[in-house]
Amino acid sequence: MKFDTIAAGVYPELVYPPYKSTLKRGPLQPALRINAPVPVGENIAPSPRILLPFDTDLTAQGDGAPLGEKIVVTGRVVDEDGKPVRNSLLEVWQCNAAGRYRHKKDQHDAPLDPNFNGWGKMMTDDEGRYRFVTIKPGPYPWGNHHKAWRPAHIHFSLFGNVYAQRLVTQMYFPSDPLFDYDPIFQSIPDLAARQRLISRFSLEETVSDQMLGYEFDIVLRGRNATPMGI
């Protein structure tokens, strides 16, 4: 499988000083090119054990309804030619509506929601489409600099068909006032590429009076690639 060259500015620099932790963990040596042939994997149907009940509904994993704005997120995962990436595992994780993750390292002053874990997974269908239900995450402080707050976002992990299509990224919500102040979002040099990380509100995907709909399409590698989230 041969991929087009990714345009300059789509991927963030591995060391981006305004995002302070990259100074400690970013590689300082140039990357090495591996020229060994990479076999193209076939899309195969998932084992039933991969998906558990309510993996695609993050609002149904507790004993009751979680707090916050219920939303549905959907979109297509495609390659650089617009062909669907079928039967591929997609994982998501996020904080709750108050801006707190269910993780021992997140100890900031916001409540945990006993009915919201904040993670799920799903498989793309034959058209490369995915869909899950969740709660809109809140912004949260993260200590990178004075008054550092992250825009609301959902983390995505995608495996694609081959290792070269592996992608970990973040989905943001339209018109967030924190975009201009967030070093992670701003670490992507190309403005058009940054815009590809922002979901679209969709009245068509909105479910009656139950939840608003958002669409987020993902391009794995090549032309119009979805940027990585560092």
Side-chain angles (χ1 to χ4, degrees):
M1 177 176 286
K2 186 177 184 299
F3 297 100
D4 285 354
T5 301
I6 298 170
V10 171
Y11 284 176
E13 294 293 332
L14 297 178
V15 177
Y16 183 69
Y19 181 10
K20 293 182 179 179
S21 69
T22 65
L23 295 172
K24 299 178 180 179
R25 61 181 171 85
L28 300 179
Q29 299 297 322
L32 298 177
R33 179 174 295 277
I34 299 175
N35 294 316
V38 178
V40 177
E42 295 291 335
N43 280 319
I44 58 175
S47 165
R49 293 184 180 180
I50 290 179
L51 301 181
L52 300 174
F54 307 119
D55 272 350
T56 60
D57 188 349
L58 282 66
T59 70
Q61 297 174 352
D63 294 328
L67 298 174
E69 177 188 344
K70 190 174 182 179
I71 63 173
V72 58
V73 179
T74 187
R76 294 186 71 220
V77 181
V78 300
D79 66 16
E80 61 190 80
D81 296 319
K83 297 178 181 178
V85 178
R86 302 182 176 95
N87 297 323
S88 184
L89 180 64
L90 186 156
E91 298 172 304
V92 295
W93 66 98
Q94 63 172 90
C95 65
N96 64 23
R100 186 168 173 184
Y101 289 93
R102 185 176 293 279
H103 193 281
K104 63 182 180 181
K105 289 188 176 181
D106 189 347
Q107 298 295 322
H108 98 270
D109 188 17
L112 286 172
D113 188 334
N115 293 311
F116 190 74
N117 292 326
W119 54 79
K121 58 182 179 292
M122 63 224 69
M123 306 295 296
T124 56
D125 65 15
D126 286 344
E127 297 300 321
R129 183 165 292 278
Y130 70 90
R131 183 182 187 274
F132 66 97
V133 174
T134 189
I135 294 295
K136 187 175 181 181
Y140 58 84
W142 62 300
N144 183 77
H145 55 277
H146 183 55
K147 296 184 180 180
W149 283 76
R150 296 263 18 243
H153 61 279
I154 299 175
H155 298 267
F156 280 68
S157 170
L158 301 100
F159 289 87
N161 294 327
V162 294
Y163 183 75
Q165 289 180 318
R166 180 79 168 94
L167 177 69
V168 177
T169 191
Q170 300 178 30
M171 181 199 95
Y172 298 90
F173 292 86
S175 304
D176 194 307
L178 292 172
F179 286 153
D180 290 343
Y181 309 100
D182 182 53
I184 296 180
F185 183 75
Q186 293 295 331
S187 69
I188 299 164
D190 185 75
L191 175 61
R194 289 202 298 269
Q195 296 301 308
R196 295 201 288 272
L197 292 179
I198 303 173
S199 60
R200 306 180 302 277
F201 168 72
S202 172
L203 189 62
E204 182 178 354
E205 296 297 336
T206 294
V207 180
S208 185
D209 60 353
Q210 301 174 34
M211 49 190 166
L212 296 179
Y214 291 89
E215 290 184 304
F216 183 56
D217 296 330
I218 300 170
V219 179
L220 297 183
R221 191 81 187 194
R223 297 182 302 278
N224 298 316
T226 300
M228 294 184 291
I230 60 175

